[in-house]
PDB file of all heavy atoms in Angstrom:
ATOM      1  N   SER A1255     175.297  81.219 101.181  1.00 62.00           N
ATOM      2  CA  SER A1255     174.240  82.185 101.554  1.00 62.00           C
ATOM      3  C   SER A1255     174.594  83.594 101.095  1.00 62.00           C
ATOM      4  O   SER A1255     173.658  84.265 100.581  1.00 62.00           O
ATOM      5  CB  SER A1255     174.107  82.167 103.100  1.00 62.00           C
ATOM      6  OG  SER A1255     175.373  82.474 103.733  1.00 62.00           O
ATOM      7  N   SER A1256     175.832  84.033 101.246  1.00 67.00           N
ATOM      8  CA  SER A1256     176.126  85.402 100.808  1.00 67.00           C
ATOM      9  C   SER A1256     176.018  85.573  99.343  1.00 67.00           C
ATOM     10  O   SER A1256     175.566  86.583  98.851  1.00 67.00           O
ATOM     11  CB  SER A1256     177.592  85.698 101.281  1.00 67.00           C
ATOM     12  OG  SER A1256     178.497  84.801 100.685  1.00 67.00           O
ATOM     13  N   ARG A1257     176.541  84.547  98.588  1.00 69.00           N
ATOM     14  CA  ARG A1257     176.425  84.594  97.139  1.00 69.00           C
ATOM     15  C   ARG A1257     174.905  84.557  96.660  1.00 69.00           C
ATOM     16  O   ARG A1257     174.573  85.235  95.739  1.00 69.00           O
ATOM     17  CB  ARG A1257     177.170  83.428  96.542  1.00 69.00           C
ATOM     18  CG  ARG A1257     177.053  83.291  94.984  1.00 69.00           C
ATOM     19  CD  ARG A1257     177.641  84.492  94.318  1.00 69.00           C
ATOM     20  NE  ARG A1257     177.587  84.427  92.916  1.00 69.00           N
ATOM     21  CZ  ARG A1257     177.856  85.313  92.026  1.00 69.00           C
ATOM     22  NH1 ARG A1257     178.220  86.508  92.467  1.00 69.00           N
ATOM     23  NH2 ARG A1257     177.800  85.103  90.712  1.00 69.00           N
ATOM     24  N   LEU A1258     174.086  83.800  97.384  1.00 68.00           N
ATOM     25  CA  LEU A1258     172.671  83.688  97.032  1.00 68.00           C
ATOM     26  C   LEU A1258     171.975  85.018  97.293  1.00 68.00           C
ATOM     27  O   LEU A1258     171.192  85.467  96.415  1.00 68.00           O
ATOM     28  CB  LEU A1258     172.045  82.547  97.852  1.00 68.00           C
ATOM     29  CG  LEU A1258     170.618  82.240  97.486  1.00 68.00           C
ATOM     30  CD1 LEU A1258     170.487  81.729  96.073  1.00 68.00           C
ATOM     31  CD2 LEU A1258     170.047  81.200  98.459  1.00 68.00           C
ATOM     32  N   ILE A1259     172.255  85.659  98.393  1.00 76.00           N
ATOM     33  CA  ILE A1259     171.645  87.001  98.597  1.00 76.00           C
ATOM     34  C   ILE A1259     172.018  88.024  97.614  1.00 76.00           C
ATOM     35  O   ILE A1259     171.259  88.764  97.093  1.00 76.00           O
ATOM     36  CB  ILE A1259     172.003  87.406 100.096  1.00 76.00           C
ATOM     37  CG1 ILE A1259     171.395  86.434 101.132  1.00 76.00           C
ATOM     38  CG2 ILE A1259     171.572  88.862 100.303  1.00 76.00           C
ATOM     39  CD1 ILE A1259     171.818  86.729 102.580  1.00 76.00           C
ATOM     40  N   GLU A1260     173.365  88.073  97.293  1.00 75.00           N
ATOM     41  CA  GLU A1260     173.845  89.024  96.299  1.00 75.00           C
ATOM     42  C   GLU A1260     173.279  88.731  94.948  1.00 75.00           C
ATOM     43  O   GLU A1260     172.870  89.666  94.234  1.00 75.00           O
ATOM     44  CB  GLU A1260     175.380  88.934  96.257  1.00 75.00           C
ATOM     45  CG  GLU A1260     175.974  89.898  95.308  1.00 75.00           C
ATOM     46  CD  GLU A1260     175.654  91.362  95.652  1.00 75.00           C
ATOM     47  OE1 GLU A1260     175.472  91.651  96.831  1.00 75.00           O
ATOM     48  OE2 GLU A1260     175.595  92.167  94.654  1.00 75.00           O
ATOM     49  N   SER A1261     173.128  87.451  94.583  1.00 73.00           N
ATOM     50  CA  SER A1261     172.582  87.104  93.236  1.00 73.00           C
ATOM     51  C   SER A1261     171.122  87.513  93.178  1.00 73.00           C
ATOM     52  O   SER A1261     170.700  88.034  92.145  1.00 73.00           O
ATOM     53  CB  SER A1261     172.704  85.613  93.041  1.00 73.00           C
ATOM     54  OG  SER A1261     172.100  85.237  91.834  1.00 73.00           O
ATOM     55  N   SER A1262     170.359  87.307  94.301  1.00 74.00           N
ATOM     56  CA  SER A1262     168.977  87.746  94.366  1.00 74.00           C
ATOM     57  C   SER A1262     168.821  89.299  94.210  1.00 74.00           C
ATOM     58  O   SER A1262     167.956  89.726  93.436  1.00 74.00           O
ATOM     59  CB  SER A1262     168.349  87.270  95.654  1.00 74.00           C
ATOM     60  OG  SER A1262     168.387  85.861  95.801  1.00 74.00           O
ATOM     61  N   LYS A1263     169.657  89.999  94.910  1.00 78.00           N
ATOM     62  CA  LYS A1263     169.574  91.456  94.794  1.00 78.00           C
ATOM     63  C   LYS A1263     169.883  91.949  93.358  1.00 78.00           C
ATOM     64  O   LYS A1263     169.227  92.743  92.796  1.00 78.00           O
ATOM     65  CB  LYS A1263     170.624  92.114  95.727  1.00 78.00           C
ATOM     66  CG  LYS A1263     170.251  91.945  97.247  1.00 78.00           C
ATOM     67  CD  LYS A1263     171.291  92.657  98.072  1.00 78.00           C
ATOM     68  CE  LYS A1263     170.988  92.535  99.568  1.00 78.00           C
ATOM     69  NZ  LYS A1263     171.959  93.178 100.407  1.00 78.00           N
ATOM     70  N   GLN A1264     170.952  91.319  92.740  1.00 77.00           N
ATOM     71  CA  GLN A1264     171.307  91.614  91.388  1.00 77.00           C
ATOM     72  C   GLN A1264     170.148  91.362  90.411  1.00 77.00           C
ATOM     73  O   GLN A1264     169.804  92.147  89.494  1.00 77.00           O
ATOM     74  CB  GLN A1264     172.529  90.929  90.935  1.00 77.00           C
ATOM     75  CG  GLN A1264     172.997  91.290  89.542  1.00 77.00           C
ATOM     76  CD  GLN A1264     174.248  90.523  89.126  1.00 77.00           C
ATOM     77  OE1 GLN A1264     174.767  89.702  89.884  1.00 77.00           O
ATOM     78  NE2 GLN A1264     174.756  90.758  87.969  1.00 77.00           N
ATOM     79  N   GLN A1265     169.521  90.209  90.617  1.00 74.00           N
ATOM     80  CA  GLN A1265     168.402  89.821  89.692  1.00 74.00           C
ATOM     81  C   GLN A1265     167.176  90.788  89.860  1.00 74.00           C
ATOM     82  O   GLN A1265     166.513  91.121  88.863  1.00 74.00           O
ATOM     83  CB  GLN A1265     167.960  88.408  89.989  1.00 74.00           C
ATOM     84  CG  GLN A1265     167.067  87.820  88.878  1.00 74.00           C
ATOM     85  CD  GLN A1265     166.952  86.355  89.019  1.00 74.00           C
ATOM     86  OE1 GLN A1265     166.390  85.867  89.955  1.00 74.00           O
ATOM     87  NE2 GLN A1265     167.361  85.609  87.996  1.00 74.00           N
ATOM     88  N   ILE A1266     166.886  91.226  91.125  1.00 79.00           N
ATOM     89  CA  ILE A1266     165.819  92.186  91.351  1.00 79.00           C
ATOM     90  C   ILE A1266     166.121  93.469  90.647  1.00 79.00           C
ATOM     91  O   ILE A1266     165.257  94.088  90.012  1.00 79.00           O
ATOM     92  CB  ILE A1266     165.609  92.403  92.866  1.00 79.00           C
ATOM     93  CG1 ILE A1266     165.108  91.151  93.534  1.00 79.00           C
ATOM     94  CG2 ILE A1266     164.673  93.560  93.102  1.00 79.00           C
ATOM     95  CD1 ILE A1266     164.942  91.196  94.995  1.00 79.00           C
TER      96      ILE A1266
END
Side-chain angles (χ1 to χ4, degrees):
S1255 58
S1256 60
R1257 176 63 178 170
L1258 186 61
I1259 294 174
E1260 181 60 30
S1261 176
S1262 300
K1263 291 181 179 178
Q1264 182 181 1
Q1265 195 167 61
I1266 292 174

